Amino acid sequence: MKQLPKLQPGQRVAVLSPSFAAPGKFPEVFELGLKRLREVFGLIPVEFPSTRKLGATKEERMRDLIAAFEDPDLKAVFASIGGDDQVTYVKELPVAPFADHPKPFFGYSDNTHFMNFLWQNGVPSFYGGSVMTQC
């Protein structure tokens, strides 16, 4: 398992919806989570294109995950919430973007599929947190 550095105030972090785009349905709750990331943890959330897009395709969500891990300026990836269809595409994800650019991933529920994928490729993740519930 790769060692990952702890997050520090002032760092930029990705916020995306790898499964259900709940921010598109419940924007007020999502905004509270973003505010907490900024004010309590001192992080700078960077929202990805399909984060609020209800009905985003699996290809759009895959692109967001890959882009978030490949961006060296982003120090962690936070899921907005869980969902129920990540299992439909997790086996299609390429390994290199995640194994070559490891960073902490925070999520729960449907994100367990992605977290297992990360674990199989030596990248630790943190189960239980997401922007719309715990942040």
Side-chain angles (χ1 to χ4, degrees), residues 1-4 102-105 118-119 122-126:
M1 199 58 61
K2 295 176 172 96
Q3 284 282 91
L4 301 176
K103 56 186 67 173
F105 176 81
L118 290 174
W119 179 79
V123 181
S125 60
F126 300 89

mmCIF file of all heavy atoms in Angstrom, residues 1-4 102-105 118-119 122-126:
data_model
loop_
_atom_site.group_PDB
_atom_site.id
_atom_site.type_symbol
_atom_site.label_atom_id
_atom_site.label_comp_id
_atom_site.label_asym_id
_atom_site.label_seq_id
_atom_site.Cartn_x
_atom_site.Cartn_y
_atom_site.Cartn_z
ATOM 1 N N MET A 1 0.849 -1.171 0.000
ATOM 2 C CA MET A 1 0.000 0.000 0.000
ATOM 3 C C MET A 1 0.897 1.237 0.000
ATOM 4 O O MET A 1 1.855 1.317 0.739
ATOM 5 C CB MET A 1 -0.881 -0.042 1.247
ATOM 6 C CG MET A 1 -2.101 0.800 1.213
ATOM 7 S SD MET A 1 -3.331 0.574 -0.072
ATOM 8 C CE MET A 1 -3.883 -1.073 0.131
ATOM 9 N N LYS A 2 0.551 2.193 -0.830
ATOM 10 C CA LYS A 2 1.329 3.423 -0.927
ATOM 11 C C LYS A 2 1.053 4.325 0.282
ATOM 12 O O LYS A 2 -0.066 4.377 0.774
ATOM 13 C CB LYS A 2 0.976 4.146 -2.212
ATOM 14 C CG LYS A 2 1.384 3.363 -3.443
ATOM 15 C CD LYS A 2 0.929 4.053 -4.719
ATOM 16 C CE LYS A 2 1.516 3.357 -5.911
ATOM 17 N NZ LYS A 2 0.698 2.388 -6.541
ATOM 18 N N GLN A 3 2.066 5.023 0.747
ATOM 19 C CA GLN A 3 1.909 6.019 1.804
ATOM 20 C C GLN A 3 1.465 7.328 1.162
ATOM 21 O O GLN A 3 2.070 7.768 0.184
ATOM 22 C CB GLN A 3 3.232 6.238 2.521
ATOM 23 C CG GLN A 3 3.594 5.130 3.472
ATOM 24 C CD GLN A 3 2.814 5.238 4.759
ATOM 25 O OE1 GLN A 3 1.750 4.659 4.876
ATOM 26 N NE2 GLN A 3 3.333 5.978 5.709
ATOM 27 N N LEU A 4 0.435 7.932 1.708
ATOM 28 C CA LEU A 4 -0.060 9.196 1.173
ATOM 29 C C LEU A 4 0.107 10.291 2.212
ATOM 30 O O LEU A 4 -0.121 10.063 3.396
ATOM 31 C CB LEU A 4 -1.531 9.065 0.781
ATOM 32 C CG LEU A 4 -1.853 7.993 -0.256
ATOM 33 C CD1 LEU A 4 -3.352 7.913 -0.486
ATOM 34 C CD2 LEU A 4 -1.131 8.268 -1.552
ATOM 35 N N PRO A 102 -1.370 8.343 -7.109
ATOM 36 C CA PRO A 102 -2.194 8.045 -5.933
ATOM 37 C C PRO A 102 -2.477 9.285 -5.095
ATOM 38 O O PRO A 102 -1.641 10.181 -4.988
ATOM 39 C CB PRO A 102 -1.344 7.042 -5.155
ATOM 40 C CG PRO A 102 0.057 7.353 -5.547
ATOM 41 C CD PRO A 102 -0.015 7.803 -6.988
ATOM 42 N N LYS A 103 -3.687 9.330 -4.574
ATOM 43 C CA LYS A 103 -4.063 10.397 -3.642
ATOM 44 C C LYS A 103 -5.237 9.892 -2.823
ATOM 45 O O LYS A 103 -5.925 8.956 -3.235
ATOM 46 C CB LYS A 103 -4.387 11.705 -4.361
ATOM 47 C CG LYS A 103 -5.453 11.633 -5.406
ATOM 48 C CD LYS A 103 -5.603 12.944 -6.183
ATOM 49 C CE LYS A 103 -4.392 13.220 -7.024
ATOM 50 N NZ LYS A 103 -4.499 14.360 -7.913
ATOM 51 N N PRO A 104 -5.480 10.459 -1.660
ATOM 52 C CA PRO A 104 -6.587 10.005 -0.825
ATOM 53 C C PRO A 104 -7.929 10.161 -1.535
ATOM 54 O O PRO A 104 -8.174 11.173 -2.197
ATOM 55 C CB PRO A 104 -6.518 10.913 0.403
ATOM 56 C CG PRO A 104 -5.159 11.501 0.394
ATOM 57 C CD PRO A 104 -4.734 11.554 -1.042
ATOM 58 N N PHE A 105 -8.768 9.158 -1.378
ATOM 59 C CA PHE A 105 -10.139 9.199 -1.882
ATOM 60 C C PHE A 105 -11.062 9.008 -0.692
ATOM 61 O O PHE A 105 -10.859 8.106 0.123
ATOM 62 C CB PHE A 105 -10.388 8.099 -2.918
ATOM 63 C CG PHE A 105 -11.816 8.047 -3.385
ATOM 64 C CD1 PHE A 105 -12.271 8.924 -4.349
ATOM 65 C CD2 PHE A 105 -12.708 7.132 -2.836
ATOM 66 C CE1 PHE A 105 -13.602 8.902 -4.770
ATOM 67 C CE2 PHE A 105 -14.031 7.096 -3.252
ATOM 68 C CZ PHE A 105 -14.479 7.986 -4.217
ATOM 69 N N LEU A 118 -9.167 0.772 -6.064
ATOM 70 C CA LEU A 118 -7.963 1.463 -5.597
ATOM 71 C C LEU A 118 -7.103 0.534 -4.740
ATOM 72 O O LEU A 118 -5.892 0.447 -4.928
ATOM 73 C CB LEU A 118 -8.334 2.717 -4.796
ATOM 74 C CG LEU A 118 -8.938 3.875 -5.574
ATOM 75 C CD1 LEU A 118 -9.390 4.980 -4.619
ATOM 76 C CD2 LEU A 118 -7.981 4.418 -6.621
ATOM 77 N N TRP A 119 -7.723 -0.162 -3.804
ATOM 78 C CA TRP A 119 -6.997 -1.062 -2.903
ATOM 79 C C TRP A 119 -6.249 -2.129 -3.699
ATOM 80 O O TRP A 119 -5.095 -2.433 -3.413
ATOM 81 C CB TRP A 119 -7.976 -1.697 -1.918
ATOM 82 C CG TRP A 119 -7.320 -2.642 -0.968
ATOM 83 C CD1 TRP A 119 -6.608 -2.328 0.150
ATOM 84 C CD2 TRP A 119 -7.307 -4.066 -1.069
ATOM 85 N NE1 TRP A 119 -6.157 -3.472 0.758
ATOM 86 C CE2 TRP A 119 -6.574 -4.561 0.028
ATOM 87 C CE3 TRP A 119 -7.856 -4.972 -1.972
ATOM 88 C CZ2 TRP A 119 -6.364 -5.907 0.232
ATOM 89 C CZ3 TRP A 119 -7.645 -6.326 -1.764
ATOM 90 C CH2 TRP A 119 -6.899 -6.771 -0.677
ATOM 91 N N GLY A 122 -3.014 -0.754 -4.868
ATOM 92 C CA GLY A 122 -2.097 -0.209 -3.883
ATOM 93 C C GLY A 122 -2.372 1.202 -3.410
ATOM 94 O O GLY A 122 -1.507 1.848 -2.835
ATOM 95 N N VAL A 123 -3.579 1.701 -3.661
ATOM 96 C CA VAL A 123 -3.918 3.072 -3.268
ATOM 97 C C VAL A 123 -4.931 3.034 -2.120
ATOM 98 O O VAL A 123 -6.032 2.516 -2.285
ATOM 99 C CB VAL A 123 -4.514 3.866 -4.459
ATOM 100 C CG1 VAL A 123 -4.845 5.295 -4.048
ATOM 101 C CG2 VAL A 123 -3.560 3.838 -5.647
ATOM 102 N N PRO A 124 -4.565 3.580 -0.956
ATOM 103 C CA PRO A 124 -5.506 3.590 0.169
ATOM 104 C C PRO A 124 -6.641 4.588 -0.048
ATOM 105 O O PRO A 124 -6.495 5.546 -0.799
ATOM 106 C CB PRO A 124 -4.645 3.988 1.363
ATOM 107 C CG PRO A 124 -3.468 4.663 0.789
ATOM 108 C CD PRO A 124 -3.272 4.151 -0.605
ATOM 109 N N SER A 125 -7.751 4.334 0.605
ATOM 110 C CA SER A 125 -8.883 5.258 0.563
ATOM 111 C C SER A 125 -9.515 5.287 1.950
ATOM 112 O O SER A 125 -9.156 4.500 2.824
ATOM 113 C CB SER A 125 -9.892 4.826 -0.501
ATOM 114 O OG SER A 125 -10.376 3.527 -0.222
ATOM 115 N N PHE A 126 -10.469 6.172 2.125
ATOM 116 C CA PHE A 126 -11.084 6.365 3.428
ATOM 117 C C PHE A 126 -12.594 6.226 3.304
ATOM 118 O O PHE A 126 -13.248 7.050 2.681
ATOM 119 C CB PHE A 126 -10.705 7.732 3.995
ATOM 120 C CG PHE A 126 -9.212 7.878 4.155
ATOM 121 C CD1 PHE A 126 -8.445 8.364 3.105
ATOM 122 C CD2 PHE A 126 -8.602 7.498 5.326
ATOM 123 C CE1 PHE A 126 -7.066 8.476 3.233
ATOM 124 C CE2 PHE A 126 -7.229 7.607 5.466
ATOM 125 C CZ PHE A 126 -6.452 8.088 4.420
#
